[in-house]
Amino acid sequence: VRRLRDVGEHAWLATLPRRLPRGSLAAGIVVGAGDDAAVVRARPGRLLLTTDALIEGVHFRSGWSSPRALGRRAFAVNASDIAAMGGRPRWALLAAEVPPATPVRELDAILAGFAAAARRDGARVVGGNLAAGRHLALTAALVGEARGRVVTRAGARAGDGVWVTGALGACGLAVRRLIAGRGGRLPDPPSRVRAGERLATVASAMIDVSDGLAQDLGHLCRASGVGAVVDLARLPVAPACRRALGAAAPRFALAAGEDYELLVTVPRARERALVRLAPRLGCRLTRIGRITRAPRRVALIDGTDPRRSRARAGFDHFR
Amino acid sequence: VRRLRDVGEHAWLATLPRRLPRGSLAAGIVVGAGDDAAVVRARPGRLLLTTDALIEGVHFRSGWSSPRALGRRAFAVNASDIAAMGGRPRWALLAAEVPPATPVRELDAILAGFAAAARRDGARVVGGNLAAGRHLALTAALVGEARGRVVTRAGARAGDGVWVTGALGACGLAVRRLIAGRGGRLPDPPSRVRAGERLATVASAMIDVSDGLAQDLGHLCRASGVGAVVDLARLPVAPACRRALGAAAPRFALAAGEDYELLVTVPRARERALVRLAPRLGCRLTRIGRITRAPRRVALIDGTDPRRSRARAGFDHFR
């Protein structure tokens, strides 16, 4: 097995230009990977900038994903942030910290997965960094473009509907099984770039569900100065999660993290427009609650328990 | 001492918007730190994108820099890449991996240093990421703008002069002393943004000296399909390095890394223009050699040793 320490940083980096796009006018790339910095040509308008990391021992453990899936994931968790603003990712950077004993083809697979996920979302890898380290850590940065409205976390108003794309709980369940030594793999995060761009035309606020719906709704409420009421019975729970946990599944899915779905608030006046565009999102869309005036309070309606369990917004409550 | 684990990720992050610029039209910031992604407004033209990391145990050890200087350094190593293309940094992201036992005020100081260095170079911090980890790692990504010419590593031609800004060897000497347990601190990298922008008007190729001049000149020669001859006696050696190492200083400075000076090639026809702009670079500029036709060969003229020691370009030779 050829390992990174046998090949060396520069020899590995020297192979990059062959595998990544250099100049590509279609993708706006004037100078691609391999120089001090990439040079790109942005269309006039607003840019979206974000960075997020996957760290071994924190976000994943060895064997939880194939190297290729890990690369895809490093892109997806960043693309999710761009999608949650209503934008499209365009250019990606990947900074990798890699133990010297890592097989070269593992690093190759990580990069290939990252580049493939980028391409699927209409973006290109234009550079990065490689450093020896004690554990594997992938820190990506994305530059996106917003062609239409940009949606922050801060625009939700009392009366707006609270909606969520896709289904929740599948990743949380997989992590629970992996930690318990019951095998499996982390599911690939969904791509919600197209959905985010379309939802941005009607949304008052939007956030991606990375820390768990309860916590992320809390972030949205805090930024908007509002509260929310969520009907647990309406929560779209991933089938695997429902099968495994039965009646406990909705509460689990409410707190589970890393689903990378979009949580979006939509004013009543735009609900008809939302219903019209829903078939073109490429995923389910479910109304799970409503925004309230009560600042920072996320209330739950639990069908199995008629009393409302009031909770302060945020992760601290749910851990 | 309040530590990060006592405060929590989200509580610390919640303090960021107070300390970082939110919307600032002057800086092109529509939405600053605190949302899913930052929103900025770029001027029409080319953008420069780069990422670089400082990892504890790899790039530095605990105590080598104050937390504030470490933050400044995390920005500076990235700004150096933007400067080497002839651009100006505009927006910065900082992804930090931080052990939970880290004192909060240490993280505060890192961020303050990062933000101060950004501001000094005309850039603003618009976002980032915070993750628990086993060691401290700072991965920054920068978006810069190029108002004039963009200069890659690939344009050097036989006959061009080889020039370097500032002086070399100070950081390498500091690292040697720190490793030997003789104390001291890492010197702050210089800011060469202004120099880079001005040198770009006359340069045929440019690179920043991060891996050591010999290695980085090798990268430039490889990208340009040329060779170079360097006169060791002309190398601008940092005074501390000269005092400590005497006659051995030039060879040490040639291989020493992390000086973050600019290495630039300039055609003969533009040498007069170079001489005219030199007083406005804000730093020394020294001609140390010339580009040759011999592909990938960096030859040394050593005044203390009349034979030319021919060497393959690149780091491998010098380690």
Side-chain angles (χ1 to χ4, degrees):
Chain A
V1 181
R2 282 167 70 238
R3 298 180 188 280
L4 205 54
R5 66 173 164 236
D6 308 325
V7 175
E9 171 197 354
H10 288 286
W12 190 84
L13 288 176
T15 68
L16 274 192
R18 268 180 275 137
R19 288 182 282 164
L20 293 175
R22 282 188 77 80
S24 156
L25 290 184
I29 304 171
V30 182
V31 178
D35 219 295
D36 293 299
V39 185
V40 301
R41 201 175 281 278
R43 286 177 275 246
R46 288 144 307 157
L47 298 173
L48 303 170
L49 312 180
T50 193
T51 185
D52 205 351
L54 296 182
I55 300 168
E56 191 177 348
V58 179
H59 300 94
F60 67 92
R61 299 187 194 163
S62 177
W64 283 18
S65 293
S66 70
R68 206 178 167 94
L70 199 64
R72 287 197 300 268
R73 190 174 192 81
F75 182 84
V77 301
N78 280 277
S80 180
D81 283 325
I82 300 285
M85 303 298 284
R88 281 189 201 185
R90 282 214 79 196
W91 303 292
L93 301 168
L94 178 61
E97 181 186 340
V98 185
T102 304
V104 171
R105 70 170 178 202
E106 213 173 292
L107 186 57
D108 289 347
I110 287 170
L111 178 68
F114 186 80
R119 198 170 271 267
R120 189 190 55 181
D121 275 347
R124 294 290 188 280
V125 185
V126 294
N129 189 59
L130 178 62
R134 273 168 289 179
H135 58 205
L136 184 61
L138 303 174
T139 304
L142 282 195
V143 178
E145 288 181 332
R147 302 197 191 168
R149 287 182 75 215
V150 159
V151 182
T152 69
R153 302 174 176 184
R157 295 294 169 259
D160 292 357
V162 177
W163 305 73
V164 67
T165 59
L168 304 166
C171 186
L173 183 74
V175 168
R176 180 193 267 205
R177 285 177 168 163
L178 284 160
I179 288 177
R182 293 166 56 202
R185 293 268 170 159
L186 287 182
D188 256 29
S191 169
R192 297 290 179 241
V193 169
R194 194 158 289 228
E197 206 168 25
R198 287 178 173 160
L199 287 168
T201 62
V202 296
S204 53
M206 193 151 55
I207 189 171
D208 69 320
V209 181
S210 54
D211 295 330
L213 186 134
Q215 181 174 2
D216 291 312
L217 181 54
H219 295 325
L220 186 150
C221 286
R222 194 176 307 115
S224 296
V226 296
V229 55
V230 169
D231 186 347
L232 258 186
R234 286 177 171 270
L235 215 64
V237 177
C241 188
R242 175 82 67 185
R243 277 195 304 275
L245 304 178
R251 273 200 181 261
F252 179 83
L254 184 76
E258 301 188 276
D259 289 310
Y260 297 103
E261 295 293 350
L262 296 177
L263 179 64
V264 56
T265 62
V266 178
R268 281 183 213 267
R270 296 200 205 121
E271 262 178 29
R272 290 176 75 170
L274 177 65
V275 169
R276 275 198 302 276
L277 65 79
R280 286 175 294 128
L281 296 180
C283 61
R284 246 168 110 175
L285 183 73
T286 310
R287 189 165 75 74
I288 59 167
R290 215 160 262 293
I291 295 296
T292 66
R293 258 172 244 287
R296 294 177 175 228
R297 294 209 162 260
V298 176
L300 295 180
I301 300 174
D302 190 337
T304 65
D305 177 353
R307 93 204 125 109
R308 280 187 175 191
S309 56
R310 291 201 168 261
R312 251 191 50 238
F315 182 68
D316 293 343
H317 173 77
F318 293 94
R319 72 181 172 191
Chain B
V1 182
R2 280 167 71 238
R3 299 182 188 279
L4 205 52
R5 65 173 165 236
D6 308 325
V7 174
E9 171 197 355
H10 289 284
W12 189 83
L13 287 176
T15 69
L16 274 192
R18 267 179 274 139
R19 288 182 282 164
L20 293 175
R22 282 189 77 80
S24 158
L25 290 183
I29 303 172
V30 182
V31 178
D35 219 295
D36 294 298
V39 185
V40 301
R41 203 175 278 279
R43 285 178 277 244
R46 288 144 307 158
L47 299 173
L48 303 169
L49 313 180
T50 193
T51 184
D52 205 351
L54 296 182
I55 300 168
E56 191 176 348
V58 179
H59 301 94
F60 67 93
R61 299 187 194 165
S62 176
W64 283 18
S65 291
S66 70
R68 208 179 165 92
L70 198 63
R72 287 198 300 269
R73 190 172 192 83
F75 182 84
V77 300
N78 280 277
S80 181
D81 283 324
I82 300 286
M85 303 295 286
R88 279 189 202 185
R90 282 215 79 198
W91 303 291
L93 301 167
L94 178 60
E97 180 186 341
V98 186
T102 305
V104 171
R105 69 168 178 205
E106 214 173 291
L107 185 57
D108 289 346
I110 287 170
L111 179 69
F114 186 80
R119 197 170 271 269
R120 189 191 56 183
D121 274 346
R124 293 291 187 280
V125 184
V126 294
N129 189 58
L130 178 62
R134 274 168 289 181
H135 58 206
L136 184 61
L138 303 174
T139 305
L142 282 195
V143 178
E145 288 181 333
R147 301 196 191 168
R149 286 182 76 215
V150 160
V151 182
T152 69
R153 302 174 176 183
R157 296 292 169 259
D160 292 358
V162 177
W163 305 73
V164 67
T165 60
L168 303 166
C171 185
L173 183 75
V175 168
R176 179 192 268 205
R177 285 177 167 162
L178 283 159
I179 287 176
R182 293 166 57 202
R185 293 269 170 159
L186 287 182
D188 256 29
S191 170
R192 297 290 180 242
V193 169
R194 193 158 291 228
E197 206 167 26
R198 286 176 173 162
L199 287 169
T201 62
V202 296
S204 53
M206 192 151 57
I207 189 171
D208 68 321
V209 181
S210 54
D211 295 328
L213 187 133
Q215 181 173 1
D216 291 312
L217 181 54
H219 295 325
L220 186 150
C221 286
R222 193 174 310 117
S224 296
V226 297
V229 56
V230 168
D231 185 347
L232 258 185
R234 286 176 171 271
L235 214 65
V237 177
C241 188
R242 175 83 67 189
R243 277 195 305 273
L245 304 178
R251 273 201 180 259
F252 178 83
L254 184 77
E258 302 188 276
D259 288 310
Y260 297 102
E261 295 293 351
L262 295 177
L263 178 65
V264 55
T265 62
V266 178
R268 281 183 213 266
R270 296 200 205 122
E271 263 179 28
R272 290 175 75 170
L274 177 66
V275 168
R276 275 198 302 276
L277 65 80
R280 287 175 292 126
L281 295 179
C283 60
R284 246 170 108 175
L285 184 72
T286 311
R287 189 164 76 72
I288 58 168
R290 216 161 261 294
I291 294 295
T292 66
R293 257 172 245 287
R296 296 176 173 228
R297 295 210 162 259
V298 175
L300 296 179
I301 301 173
D302 190 336
T304 65
D305 176 354
R307 94 203 124 109
R308 278 187 174 191
S309 57
R310 290 201 167 263
R312 252 192 48 237
F315 182 68
D316 293 341
H317 174 78
F318 293 94
R319 70 183 171 188

